[in-house]
C-alpha cells in the first residue's frame, strides 16, 4: 500500500512510521544497522538528529515521499527550538541535551542523550511520545565513532579520560579508558566485552558487525607526553612543528598504535585482527604499530575489504585471511565509499594536475566525479552513468526505489554536506 503523509496529524504520523519502518523489523529479527553520530538507516527511513546548542531535534526522511517529518505528534507545531525554550510550543521532537546515534527498533525510536560526561539511552514512540529512560550508562560514550545495532543489542564504546593537575591552572590528560559495551534494548542491561586497559590516551573509532563478530578499530597512545620526554603537550607541539619531527619518532616515543580487533560472540574472546597491512603513507611503511591504519569497509567470505586513504591516493583492497592474497579493487585521487548489502558504492574524484607538486593537491572541479559499484560476491567493478554536471553525489542507502544520496554542488565546498539536501537516484539508472 502506498504511504501517504499528512504533516501535523498525529494519527497518520504514527501509521506512516509503523508501516514504513517497523513492519520489517518484526519480520526480520536478524538485523544489522550502522549507527552514525547523527543518523541511521532503517528500512526506507533515514532517522536523523540535529543538535543546536544544548538542544536537539529528531526527524525522519521518508524515501517514498521524499519528505522530512519531525518525531512529533503535536498539531500545528513548528518544531522551532527557540519557541520550545521559551515554552511557546511543546514539541515531542525536541529534547534537551545532545541527541546522538538515533535509530528505530521494534516500533520505537532510540537515541543517546549526552550531557557533559553523562550518556543516557532513551526511547519513545516514533511520534516522540511515551519517552522512557532505557539505561543511564556508567561511562561516557565516545561521540565521534561509528557504532552498530544487531538483533536486540546496540554496541558502543566508552571514552573516559583521566585528567591530572600540572601546576597552577594547568591540566594534562594522563590516562584514558576505551572499551566496547553491549546494551540490551529489552532490559537496558549493559555488558563490557573488551579489556583493552588504561592507556595514556585511547579510543575506538569504529565498531562494526560482520560474520558474527565485532570489528573494532582501536587507536591508542601508551605514554604520556612527559613519559615520552616532553615537558608537556605544548612542548610536544613545538617539536612537532620543528625540523626535527618525524612520524617514526613520534610513534616510537609516544607508543602510538592503530589496530583492529575482533570480538567473537561464540568464544567470547577479543583477538588482534591482522591482515599484514602496510600503509601507502610513506612515513608509516615498516612500522608495525600502524598495521591498523586503514578503514574496514566490509568482511565477507574470509575476506576483508578496506580503504587505505593517503593524500592523493585512495586505494580499496581485498585481503583473504586464509590464502593471504591481497588485491587492489579500486584506486583514485580521492574517493568516498559506502557499503550496503554486498556492494561498495564509490564516488571518485580526479586530481587537479596543476596542484600535483603542492603539499596537499586539490580536486579538479573541471572534471565531473565518477561513480562505481563494486559487487563483493562477483568481484566485479561497474562504472555508473548517473552523474549530473556540477553535482557530486554521496551514497547513503540502497532501497527498492534506487540509491539515496546526498546532493552537493561540485565546487570548493564539495566536502561540506547539507544533511537536508537529499535525492533519490532511480533504480533503473543503477547498472549491476
Amino acid at each position: 500500500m502506498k504511504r501517504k503523509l499528512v504533516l501535523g496529524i498525529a494519527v497518520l504520523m504514527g501509521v506512516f512510521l509503523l508501516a514504513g519502518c517497523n513492519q520489517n523489523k518484526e519480520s526480520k529479527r536478524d538485523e544489522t544497522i550502522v549507527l552514525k553520530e547523527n543518523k541511521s538507516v532503517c528500512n526506507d527511513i533515514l532517522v536523523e538528529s540535529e543538535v543546536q546548542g544544548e538542544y536537539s531535534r529528531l526527524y525522519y526522511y521518508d524515501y517514498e515521499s521524499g519528505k522530512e517529518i519531525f518525531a512529533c505528534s503535536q498539531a500545528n507545531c513548528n518544531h522551532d527550538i527557540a519557541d520550545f525554550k521559551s515554552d511557546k510550543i511543546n514539541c515531542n521532537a525536541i529534547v534537551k541535551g545532545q541527541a546522538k546515534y538515533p535509530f528505530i527498533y521494534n516500533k520505537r525510536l532510540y537515541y543517546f542523550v549526552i550531557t557533559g560526561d553523562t550518556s543516557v539511552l532513551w526511547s519513545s514512540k516514533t511520534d516522540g511520545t511515551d519517552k522512557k529512560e532505557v539505561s543511564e550508562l556508567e561511562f561516557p560514550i565516545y561521540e565521534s565513532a561509528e557504532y552498530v545495532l544487531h538483533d536486540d543489542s546496540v554496541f558502543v564504546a566508552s571514552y573516559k579520560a583521566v585528567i591530572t593537575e600540572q601546576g597552577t591552572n594547568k591540566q594534562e590528560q594522563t590516562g584514558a579508558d576505551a572499551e566496547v559495551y553491549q546494551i540490551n534494548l529489552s532490559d537496558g542491561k549493559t555488558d563490557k566485552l573488551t579489556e583493552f586497559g588504561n592507556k595514556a590516551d585511547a579510543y575506538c573509532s569504529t565498531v562494526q558487525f560482520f560474520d558474527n563478530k565485532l570489528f573494532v578499530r582501536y587507536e591508542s597512545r601508551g605514554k604520556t607526553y612527559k613519559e615520552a620526554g616532553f615537558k608537556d603537550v605544548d612542548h610536544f607541539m613545538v617539536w612537532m612543528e620543528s625540523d626535527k619531527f618525524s612520524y617514526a619518532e613520534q610513534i616510537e616515543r609516544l607508543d602510538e598504535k592503530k589496530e583492529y580487533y575482533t570480538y567473537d560472540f561464540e568464544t567470547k574472546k577479543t583477538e588482534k585482527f591482522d591482515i599484514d597491512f602496510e600503509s601507502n603513507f610513506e612515513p608509516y611503511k615498516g612500522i608495525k604499530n600502524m598495521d591498523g591504519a586503514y578503514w574496514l569497509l566490509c568482511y565477507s567470505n574470509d575476506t576483508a575489504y578496506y580503504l587505505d586513504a593517503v593524500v592523493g591516493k585512495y586505494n580499496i583492497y581485498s585481503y583473504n585471511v586464509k590464502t593471504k592474497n591481497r588485491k587492489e579493487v579500486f584506486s583514485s585521487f580521492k574517493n568516498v565509499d559506502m557499503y550496503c548489502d554486498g556492494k561498495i558504492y564509490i564516488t571518485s574524484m580526479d586530481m587537479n594536475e596543476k596542484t600535483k607538486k603542492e603539499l596537499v593537491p586539490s580536486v579538479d572541479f573541471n572534471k565531473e566525479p565518477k561513480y562505481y559499484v563494486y559487487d563483493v560476491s562477483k568481484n566485479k567493478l561497474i562504472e555508473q552513468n548517473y552523474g549530473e554536471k556540477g553535482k557530486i553525489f554521496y551514497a547513503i542507502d540502497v532501497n527498492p526505489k534506487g540509491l539515496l544520496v546526498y546532493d552537493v554542488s561540485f565546487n570548493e565546498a564539495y566536502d561540506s554536506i547539507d544533511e537536508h539536501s537529499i535525492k533519490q537516484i532511480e533504480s533503473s539508472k543503477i547498472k549491476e
Side-chain angles (χ1 to χ4, degrees):
M1 181 180 71
K2 186 175 181 180
R3 285 164 283 169
K4 296 181 180 180
L5 307 180
V6 180
L7 301 181
I9 300 180
V11 174
L12 290 184
M13 171 71 178
V15 171
F16 148 68
L17 288 172
L18 298 185
C21 183
N22 299 302
Q23 184 177 357
N24 290 338
K25 281 291 182 186
E26 289 188 299
S27 61
K28 187 179 179 182
R29 296 285 295 175
D30 186 15
E31 185 78 35
T32 301
I33 295 176
V34 175
L35 306 181
K36 296 185 181 294
E37 188 174 358
N38 68 327
K39 59 179 169 285
S40 68
V41 168
C42 169
N43 296 330
D44 300 350
I45 295 288
L46 180 63
V47 187
E48 300 195 70
S49 64
E50 185 176 57
V51 176
Q52 295 183 18
E54 297 178 352
Y55 292 81
S56 305
R57 294 190 297 185
L58 294 151
Y59 64 97
Y60 314 98
Y61 179 88
D62 176 55
Y63 301 3
E64 185 71 24
S65 67
K67 294 181 181 294
E68 290 181 349
I69 303 171
F70 285 92
C72 178
S73 61
Q74 303 292 326
N76 302 317
C77 183
N78 64 7
H79 319 295
D80 184 79
I81 289 179
D83 285 350
F84 180 83
K85 290 169 66 176
S86 60
D87 295 325
K88 292 181 181 178
I89 59 172
N90 183 25
C91 180
N92 296 333
I94 298 175
V95 298
K96 188 173 183 179
Q98 296 191 343
K100 303 290 184 74
Y101 301 101
F103 61 94
I104 290 176
Y105 172 76
N106 200 21
K107 299 183 180 180
R108 290 187 68 84
L109 169 65
Y110 289 82
Y111 51 91
F112 291 90
V113 174
I114 299 172
T115 307
D117 287 337
T118 302
S119 300
V120 181
L121 178 61
W122 287 84
S123 80
S124 72
K125 291 182 178 179
T126 50
D127 64 359
T129 60
D130 190 34
K131 289 182 172 63
K132 295 180 179 179
E133 181 179 309
V134 178
S135 178
E136 180 173 347
L137 306 183
E138 296 180 354
F139 53 86
I141 65 173
Y142 181 60
E143 295 180 47
S144 300
E146 178 181 288
Y147 298 128
V148 67
L149 165 71
H150 182 72
D151 284 348
D152 61 352
S153 293
V154 59
F155 300 90
V156 300
S158 65
Y159 181 78
K160 190 172 183 179
V162 178
I163 305 298
T164 303
E165 297 291 337
Q166 300 286 345
T168 306
N169 299 323
K170 193 169 185 178
Q171 297 178 325
E172 182 178 338
Q173 180 176 317
T174 55
D177 287 312
E179 305 290 351
V180 176
Y181 290 81
Q182 176 178 358
I183 305 172
N184 190 298
L185 298 179
S186 61
D187 58 14
K189 182 182 177 182
T190 302
D191 292 314
K192 185 179 178 182
L193 302 183
T194 60
E195 291 290 349
F196 293 127
N198 185 267
K199 303 288 193 301
D201 196 12
Y203 55 94
C204 302
S205 50
T206 61
V207 180
Q208 300 163 281
F209 185 95
F210 300 109
D211 197 24
N212 203 36
K213 294 179 182 179
L214 291 180
F215 289 76
V216 182
R217 191 176 196 258
Y218 182 73
E219 304 182 44
S220 64
R221 173 165 55 87
K223 295 181 180 179
T224 65
Y225 294 107
K226 184 170 291 187
E227 290 171 340
F230 302 100
K231 183 179 178 181
D232 51 31
V233 63
D234 294 333
H235 284 77
F236 165 74
M237 294 301 297
V238 170
W239 172 75
M240 192 176 182
E241 295 172 1
S242 72
D243 294 337
K244 297 180 180 180
F245 170 79
S246 74
Y247 283 102
E249 185 176 350
Q250 174 186 327
I251 292 166
E252 181 180 3
R253 290 178 67 173
L254 292 172
D255 189 24
E256 292 183 339
K257 294 180 180 180
K258 296 180 189 290
E259 304 167 292
Y260 267 93
Y261 288 87
T262 60
Y263 176 84
D264 191 312
F265 286 93
E266 292 183 3
T267 65
K268 310 296 183 185
K269 291 183 178 180
T270 302
E271 296 180 340
K272 178 80 178 289
F273 181 63
D274 191 358
I275 62 171
D276 196 26
F277 171 79
E278 184 175 74
S279 175
N280 287 324
F281 185 49
E282 196 64 36
Y284 284 178
K285 287 187 180 298
I287 301 177
K288 187 63 177 174
N289 279 16
M290 294 293 108
D291 63 2
Y294 60 89
W295 296 99
L296 183 67
L297 300 176
C298 67
Y299 184 84
S300 176
N301 295 323
D302 302 317
T303 303
Y305 297 84
Y306 65 92
L307 171 68
D308 183 10
V310 178
V311 174
K313 188 177 183 181
Y314 280 51
N315 290 58
I316 299 174
Y317 295 93
S318 65
Y319 179 82
N320 188 290
V321 297
K322 290 187 175 180
T323 66
K324 311 299 182 184
N325 181 48
R326 191 186 317 275
K327 188 181 73 171
E328 182 181 285
V329 171
F330 184 80
S331 178
S332 70
F333 169 70
K334 186 173 184 179
N335 56 70
V336 179
D337 317 295
M338 188 273 295
Y339 172 77
C340 183
D341 295 336
K343 295 177 181 178
I344 302 172
Y345 294 79
I346 303 169
T347 297
S348 173
M349 291 152 273
D350 290 326
M351 178 178 64
N352 183 342
E353 291 295 332
K354 294 180 180 179
T355 66
K356 186 175 183 178
K357 294 184 179 180
E358 294 181 8
L359 182 62
V360 182
S362 65
V363 168
D364 191 339
F365 299 109
N366 293 315
K367 294 183 179 179
E368 296 299 319
K370 297 177 182 177
Y371 304 93
Y372 301 85
V373 175
Y374 179 74
D375 191 316
V376 170
S377 63
K378 297 179 181 178
N379 188 24
K380 185 178 181 181
L381 182 69
I382 308 163
E383 186 169 1
Q384 305 295 311
N385 297 318
Y386 57 71
E388 294 180 14
K389 187 173 179 59
K391 297 282 189 177
I392 185 167
F393 301 135
Y394 300 108
I396 303 172
D397 183 41
V398 181
N399 60 89
K401 287 190 67 176
L403 179 65
L404 197 73
V405 299
Y406 287 118
D407 182 353
V408 181
S409 296
F410 191 48
N411 53 34
E412 285 77 5
Y414 73 97
D415 54 355
S416 297
I417 295 176
D418 179 358
E419 298 284 346
H420 302 281
S421 182
I422 296 174
K423 72 173 293 180
Q424 186 87 250
I425 296 173
E426 296 177 2
S427 57
S428 60
K429 295 182 178 181
I430 311 296
K431 294 193 294 185
E432 296 183 350

